Amino acid sequence: MMMQGARQLMKVYVTRRIPQEGMKILTEAGVCKVSVWDSDEPVPRAELLKGVAGAHGLLCLLSDRIDTEVLDAAGPNLKVISTLSVGFDHLAINEIKKRGVRVGYTPDVLTDATAELTVALLLATARRLPEGIDEVKSGGWSSWKPLWLCGYGLSGSTVGVIGLGRIGLAIARRLKPFGVKRLLYSGRSAKPQASEVEGEYVPLDTLLTESDFIVVSCSLTPETQGLCNKEFFSKMKNTAVFINSSRGSVVNQEDLYEALSSGQIAAAGLDVTTPEPLPTDHPLLTLKNCVILPHIGSATYSTRGIMAELSANNLLAGLGGAAMPSELAL
């Protein structure tokens, strides 16, 4: 083993303040010199290009676009990119692969938190919780009325999950005990683990026409970009509730607005939008039957801490040429 003093510390650039669990691992490792964009706000592009120059490792977030320009700015030292996310649509994967740079990400550790939030969003949307809260605050609550603020329940319903991956399956597992009668799913292929939730693999059209609740939990790919469009919504039941906690670009928001305002579908709950943050004057925000959350799927203290630890450990393994706890197969 080389003596500690005999080699120079490797340069690492971190694009944002991350939970201290992750920073602690990096600073105590003794192998790298860490520079951080010390803010809770995203790093400006010019600062990112400057900060990454000569770096051996980059720890980034999903709000950082890591493209050819950033890779060129980093230069030939770059060995590893570690992203504090399970999604990697912000990374120019082909370009990264070409340069032999390794990529770490944080799957699995955020599955439970994201699935929980998705169920919470589904219930809040279907049972009109934000509307109810507003009525209490604004004095709209008068006497008990038989049909006031009625929504839709899960008991005896058909749920369709688009993308039964790690998170999709975790959502399905949590929804089943509510008395869901049928669980349909669509995607590239049938999944053996679907048997655990009695999932039926069906074509997308079948899922759309038969489901009372549709949950999108696929990853963003060229095939899924804009998947939820006018044609998609037109096949859904008028009483169906649409939920998306995957990526905003899977949905055509103009078409969703049309479907919600015309009564083509009953309601929608989104934890992801395009862009993020959604401008406060966006038409979707004028609709009572649309519940929008600020991309908080994985936002529990413990999950974010574990994500930070994992991204730090991925980064260190990449710097040292060792096996990463969670490496993206390029």
Side-chain angles (χ1 to χ4, degrees):
M1 198 168 135
M2 287 174 78
M3 299 263 299
Q4 184 60 49
R7 59 179 176 180
Q8 279 210 300
L9 293 177
M10 286 187 268
K11 181 184 171 183
V12 164
Y13 187 66
V14 181
T15 64
R16 191 94 61 93
R17 259 183 228 143
I18 63 168
Q20 77 226 20
E21 294 93 327
M23 281 312 291
K24 191 165 181 276
I25 288 170
L26 291 180
T27 50
E28 289 178 3
V31 296
C32 51
K33 181 176 181 294
V34 184
S35 341
V36 183
W37 174 251
D38 196 12
S39 165
D40 287 328
E41 296 306 316
V43 58
R45 188 77 179 170
E47 288 293 335
L48 172 61
L49 295 171
K50 203 163 69 185
V52 81
H56 298 84
L58 171 65
L59 197 157
C60 65
L61 277 63
L62 52 79
S63 48
D64 305 312
R65 199 172 81 255
I66 309 302
D67 54 13
T68 306
E69 188 183 20
V70 174
L71 297 168
D72 284 344
N77 281 348
L78 191 65
K79 297 171 171 240
V80 57
I81 296 168
S82 177
T83 181
L84 189 82
S85 64
V86 61
F88 43 86
D89 43 275
H90 55 303
L91 307 177
I93 293 296
N94 289 339
E95 196 55 43
I96 290 166
K97 186 177 176 177
K98 233 187 326 199
R99 295 169 190 236
V101 175
R102 294 168 69 191
V103 176
Y105 68 137
T106 62
D108 304 314
V109 295
L110 48 63
T111 299
D112 288 343
T114 306
E116 270 176 22
L117 190 277
T118 306
V119 173
L121 178 58
L122 184 150
L123 292 169
T125 305
R127 294 299 301 273
R128 302 170 65 177
L129 300 197
E131 272 184 87
I133 291 164
D134 285 347
E135 293 287 295
V136 173
K137 289 180 177 174
S138 67
W141 182 13
S142 53
S143 69
W144 187 88
K145 305 182 191 82
L147 292 177
W148 187 54
L149 283 176
C150 282
Y152 299 93
L154 280 162
S155 190
S157 70
T158 296
V159 170
V161 177
I162 298 175
L164 198 75
R166 285 180 290 255
I167 295 172
L169 184 64
I171 294 166
R173 268 197 211 112
R174 284 160 174 77
L175 289 176
K176 283 293 277 190
F178 281 94
V180 169
K181 195 163 160 195
R182 288 178 74 206
L183 199 128
L184 314 179
Y185 73 100
S186 69
R188 280 186 300 238
S189 57
K191 305 270 178 153
Q193 62 271 30
S195 60
E196 170 193 339
V197 289
E198 297 168 330
E200 303 169 41
Y201 183 57
V202 296
L204 181 60
D205 279 8
T206 306
L207 184 144
L208 295 176
T209 55
E210 297 185 11
S211 297
D212 301 301
F213 297 89
I214 290 177
V215 179
V216 182
S217 61
C218 56
S219 49
L220 178 60
T221 64
E223 296 76 52
T224 61
Q225 174 112 27
L227 170 76
C228 309
N229 57 11
K230 191 177 169 65
E231 189 194 355
F232 177 106
F233 296 122
S234 71
K235 291 173 184 165
M236 285 174 61
K237 296 180 179 182
N238 298 139
T239 53
V241 173
F242 173 81
I243 303 294
N244 181 22
S245 60
S246 61
R247 284 289 183 265
S249 305
V250 172
V251 176
N252 177 316
Q253 290 175 172
E254 286 70 34
D255 292 353
L256 175 61
Y257 175 82
E258 200 44 54
L260 287 167
S261 54
S262 67
Q264 172 61 54
I265 69 172
L270 312 173
D271 185 41
V272 286
T273 59
T274 327
E276 291 180 5
L278 195 65
T280 53
D281 60 357
H282 194 281
L284 283 174
L285 295 173
T286 64
L287 300 174
K288 280 190 168 155
N289 58 345
C290 188
V291 177
I292 301 181
L293 297 178
H295 201 152
I296 51 173
S298 65
T300 67
Y301 290 110
S302 100
T303 299
R304 291 283 168 84
I306 294 166
M307 285 170 71
E309 283 175 13
L310 181 53
S311 59
N313 285 323
N314 282 338
L315 189 82
L316 291 175
L319 291 175
M324 278 187 208
S326 277
E327 182 162 8
L328 189 61
L330 299 181

